[in-house]
Amino acid sequence: MSMSSSELARAAMPPAPPALSEDDIARLIAQLRAAAAGVGGIDFPEGALNELATLLVQVCGAKFDGGNRVQVLGDGGAVSATAVLVTVSAMMKASNLEIFELGMWQSWSGTR
């Protein structure tokens, strides 16, 4: 018996990773907080940081596309303005975007 092309495509795909539990997410957040604070000598490799940032941007984009306006940073000024500017500048450079394009997109999309 032969498989259809869609069955072949599904068979070739790796299995989906197990869903993260709330406990898994809480542990990950605690580990990232420790790394951000420099607690315990945690060295956060740049490659891992790049992958996490990419995935977080993809999640935020998917939520936006689904109509959910995500508040990316928590309240209370836990992140300095300098840290935000450094991060956003690096993300825009990596995506080959200029500040003018950000302003235009905000105006056109009604996100301002």
Side-chain angles (χ1 to χ4, degrees), residues 7-64:
E7 289 172 326
L8 285 171
R10 276 194 303 271
M13 293 175 58
L20 290 174
S21 70
E22 287 185 29
D23 288 340
D24 293 333
I25 293 169
R27 277 193 296 278
L28 176 60
I29 289 171
Q31 291 171 336
L32 291 172
R33 278 192 183 128
V39 175
I42 297 172
D43 181 22
F44 206 85
E46 188 172 333
L49 177 64
N50 292 345
E51 189 165 352
L52 272 173
T54 298
L55 293 170
L56 288 172
V57 168
Q58 290 172 344
V59 168
C60 289
K63 285 185 170 284
F64 180 88

Side-chain angles (χ1 to χ4, degrees), residues 25-111:
I25 293 169
R27 277 193 296 278
L28 176 60
I29 289 171
Q31 291 171 336
L32 291 172
R33 278 192 183 128
V39 175
I42 297 172
D43 181 22
F44 206 85
E46 188 172 333
L49 177 64
N50 292 345
E51 189 165 352
L52 272 173
T54 298
L55 293 170
L56 288 172
V57 168
Q58 290 172 344
V59 168
C60 289
K63 285 185 170 284
F64 180 88
D65 290 343
N68 186 354
R69 302 301 189 256
V70 178
Q71 181 179 340
V72 177
L73 300 176
D75 293 329
V79 179
S80 72
T82 300
V84 170
L85 291 171
V86 166
T87 304
V88 169
S89 294
M91 292 169 77
M92 290 182 70
K93 182 177 180 180
S95 299
N96 197 28
L97 293 171
E98 297 293 331
I99 194 72
F100 174 77
E101 294 168 298
L102 173 62
M104 286 187 57
W105 177 82
Q106 286 178 328
S107 295
W108 290 348
S109 66
T111 58

